[in-house]
């Protein structure tokens, strides 16, 4: 997903996931953007407490943490069927 977002923002993705996250965050700081992620409930482990990601989606935790802890004027909308 990071590669897709960076391509939409016309950025050449870096090699490591951490570098891609930083690159995305730099763009969100620089440009007001709106990102909508649908079906976010699919990231989480079924039948587990809130915040328990499926192993293959663990990097989303870092993405959400970085976006919420950094000052920027961009927006992230998460759409989920989870109650």
């Amino acid at each position: 997903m990071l590669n897709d977002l960076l391509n939409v923002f016309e950025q050449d993705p870096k090699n490591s996931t951490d570098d891609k996250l930083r690159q995305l965050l730099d763009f969100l700081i620089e440009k007001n953007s709106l990102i909508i992620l649908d079906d976010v409930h699919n990231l989480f482990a079924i039948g587990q407490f809130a915040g328990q990601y499926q192993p293959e989606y663990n990097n989303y935790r870092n993405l959400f943490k970085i976006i919420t802890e950094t000052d920027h004027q961009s927006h992230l909308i998460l759409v989920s069927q989870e109650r």
Side-chain angles (χ1 to χ4, degrees):
M1 181 200 67
L2 284 173
N3 286 341
D4 291 339
L5 282 172
L6 291 169
N7 286 330
V8 167
F9 294 143
E10 298 178 351
Q11 303 286 309
D12 291 324
K14 305 286 185 191
N15 290 329
S16 76
T17 300
D18 288 340
D19 288 341
K20 290 175 190 176
L21 285 171
R22 183 75 229 167
Q23 189 178 9
L24 176 63
L25 188 59
D26 288 343
F27 187 85
L28 295 178
I29 290 169
E30 228 176 87
K31 307 275 187 188
N32 292 343
S33 304
L34 171 64
I35 298 173
I36 301 172
L37 298 179
D38 196 7
D39 289 335
V40 174
H41 59 277
N42 292 324
L43 303 175
F44 300 101
I46 297 171
Q48 298 293 316
F49 290 113
Q52 300 298 314
Y53 293 81
Q54 293 185 47
E56 62 269 26
Y57 298 123
N58 232 2
N59 284 332
Y60 279 87
R61 177 189 325 266
N62 296 339
L63 171 66
F64 296 149
K65 183 176 179 172
I66 287 171
I67 287 177
T68 59
E69 292 179 350
T70 304
D71 289 333
H72 58 84
Q73 296 300 312
S74 294
H75 299 281
L76 177 67
I77 296 176
L78 305 177
V79 180
S80 176
Q81 301 298 319
E82 190 70 26
R83 293 182 177 198

